[in-house]
Amino acid sequence: MPVATASTTLTVTADDGAELAGYADGPEDAPVTLVLAHGWTLDASAWQQQADDLSRDGAVRVVRYDQRGHGRSGNGTGPWSIDLLGQDLAAVIEQAAPSGPVVLGGHSMGGMTIMALAAARPGLIADRVAGVLLTSTSAGRLDPRGRPGAPLLLRVQGHVQSAFFGYCSRTAERSERIRAHLPGPERGLNPFLVKRYLYGPRAPRAAVLAGARMINECPMTAVADWYPPLMRHDKAGALGALRTLPVEVVVGSGDRLTPVVHSRRLVDELPQAALHIEPDCGHMLLVERPDVVTTRLRKLCRIAVQGSN
């Protein structure tokens, strides 16, 4: 079996001049490039296991990048929106994978990023993209405050969350200092809360701590200021560019952030999509059960290679 090459770093310049930090694994002359976009409060290391496993195949070059405001990437000039993330993804494809077929994978906000790209740049999707994986994500209707028929408790929670993130946004420096004095990602209630809301009941502790560390290292500005764009995200009915592509939709049965109903709506809109619901698994499926995601990415990459021959 080919051995994965060491990651190389790269920099992508977004349309507004923001510098996005990227990482590439696998041979530069691989017949297909897999581009992976991570979720809110995470960074490119969320895809580490997939990058390690798939780059060993020898037929795939894996490109991951930190979304703006996360990891080592800059903030840019704003205002922040999911549509802006779609533009960033277009820049990543054009600069880091300028030729050959591309497979896209997105987790949570990363999946929304792919949807924004599909809605804004259907020509780029048609010309370059050979397959898509969407995991633990949604096409919209995440904000319970304006959702018809949403239970009162959910609406109240929505108002509380909005107020909390609004406060953190207005007091980002102070909130950062407060967080610095709290127990770290491996102590106190932190791992317990991360597991409860983002993982399944049987998630390995190492996987939970990996997620807790990423969240703890995410700048408070990104934690707070990406919340409103996530709630405003709405690409339902705008995904025509993905309708003829092989699409894998994967979600944990216990996902609290983007419940299974959101994945079912995606499959209803995308006739070529296959839905897999992983039992007893939470929102961080790509870290909790990485092989589930890797298997489907490998399948899409093989289809892309076959289509390019």
Side-chain angles (χ1 to χ4, degrees):
M1 176 180 294
V3 178
T5 58
S7 296
T8 58
T9 59
L10 53 91
T11 301
V12 171
T13 303
D15 291 350
D16 65 351
E19 292 192 344
L20 308 178
Y23 312 86
D25 297 86
E28 291 188 8
D29 60 350
V32 62
T33 300
L34 172 62
V35 179
L36 301 172
H38 68 77
W40 177 42
T41 72
L42 306 179
D43 56 52
S45 67
W47 294 103
Q48 187 66 57
Q49 189 64 55
Q50 288 77 25
D52 288 345
D53 291 345
L54 292 166
S55 62
R56 290 191 183 97
D57 289 358
V60 181
R61 179 173 179 254
V62 183
V63 172
R64 301 164 289 146
Y65 66 102
D66 295 332
Q67 300 260 36
R68 67 170 60 218
H70 296 72
R72 294 173 49 244
S73 289
N75 292 341
T77 57
W80 284 352
S81 68
I82 303 300
D83 287 343
L84 181 60
L85 294 185
Q87 296 174 27
D88 290 348
L89 177 55
V92 172
I93 294 171
E94 291 163 349
Q95 297 176 39
S99 62
V102 171
V103 170
L104 302 178
H107 170 252
S108 193
M109 188 173 76
M112 300 176 197
T113 300
I114 295 172
M115 296 178 216
L117 174 65
R121 298 283 300 276
L124 178 61
I125 297 292
D127 292 343
R128 299 292 315 283
V129 178
V132 172
L133 177 132
L134 302 170
T135 181
S136 314
T137 192
S138 169
R141 297 178 63 186
L142 284 170
D143 191 344
R145 293 173 297 173
R147 189 191 311 157
L152 176 61
L153 179 58
L154 280 181
R155 296 201 302 273
V156 170
Q157 288 176 344
H159 285 290
V160 171
Q161 289 171 351
S162 179
F164 171 75
F165 288 114
Y167 172 80
C168 291
S169 177
R170 294 189 301 272
T171 63
E173 292 185 8
R174 180 182 180 186
S175 297
E176 200 77 72
R177 290 196 298 270
I178 292 173
R179 183 169 66 170
H181 287 88
L182 295 175
E186 301 179 14
R187 300 171 55 199
L189 284 175
N190 202 325
F192 170 80
L193 292 174
V194 169
K195 181 176 181 179
R196 175 172 175 77
Y197 289 102
L198 297 178
Y199 289 82
R202 295 181 293 170
R205 179 170 173 80
V208 174
L209 294 182
R213 292 186 195 104
M214 282 185 276
I215 296 168
N216 189 69
E217 292 172 3
C218 183
M220 188 58 69
T221 298
V223 172
D225 289 355
W226 276 114
Y227 179 79
L230 288 168
M231 294 300 101
R232 291 192 296 266
H233 167 68
D234 182 8
K235 287 297 180 284
L239 304 179
L242 303 181
R243 287 177 63 85
T244 60
L245 293 177
V247 177
E248 296 283 333
V249 179
V250 189
V251 64
S253 65
D255 192 327
R256 293 172 180 262
L257 270 62
T258 53
V260 172
V261 63
H262 292 272
S263 290
R264 293 194 187 279
R265 289 183 190 134
L266 283 170
V267 173
D268 288 343
E269 186 170 344
L270 302 173
Q272 301 294 329
L275 173 63
H276 174 78
I277 302 172
E278 182 67 10
D280 300 320
C281 192
H283 186 70
M284 290 289 287
L285 193 154
L286 79 169
V287 177
E288 183 174 354
R289 306 222 179 123
D291 289 347
V292 172
V293 174
T294 300
T295 296
R296 283 153 183 84
L297 286 172
R298 179 173 283 116
K299 172 184 172 183
L300 291 169
C301 290
R302 285 175 178 167
I303 293 172
V305 171
Q306 292 167 1
S308 66
N309 292 334

